[in-house]
Amino acid sequence: MESSQLKVTRWRKALLGSDAGGPLRVAVVTPYFKEPEEILGICHRSVLDQSYACTHIFVADGFPPTAVAP
């Protein structure tokens, strides 16, 4: 039977793509379609308030407001 440490190592390698075992990288994707900027602001503040650092990605379905569009 495989040791639990070996299982964790294999799981991390599959997830991270290497044996380095570095910190997990997290992204939150927020898709939206014509939502008001106030709602998108609430979503963004929610992500900023998370305890783990992450990247926040907004994905518009054809109607990005100027406040979010690059």
Side-chain angles (χ1 to χ4, degrees):
M1 181 147 276
E2 195 173 30
S3 75
S4 60
Q5 182 60 38
L6 186 57
K7 287 180 185 178
V8 169
T9 301
R10 287 187 179 167
W11 176 83
R12 287 186 72 122
K13 183 177 179 180
L15 182 66
L16 300 173
S18 73
D19 286 323
L24 294 177
R25 293 174 47 196
V26 176
V28 175
V29 178
T30 302
Y32 65 95
F33 178 77
K34 296 185 178 181
E35 271 73 22
E37 289 181 20
E38 297 79 27
I39 297 296
L40 297 178
I42 291 169
C43 293
H44 189 58
R45 284 188 298 279
S46 174
V47 172
L48 291 175
D49 289 342
Q50 298 301 309
S51 60
Y52 196 89
C54 63
T55 300
H56 192 189
I57 302 167
F58 285 97
V59 179
D61 189 8
F63 297 94
T66 56
V68 177

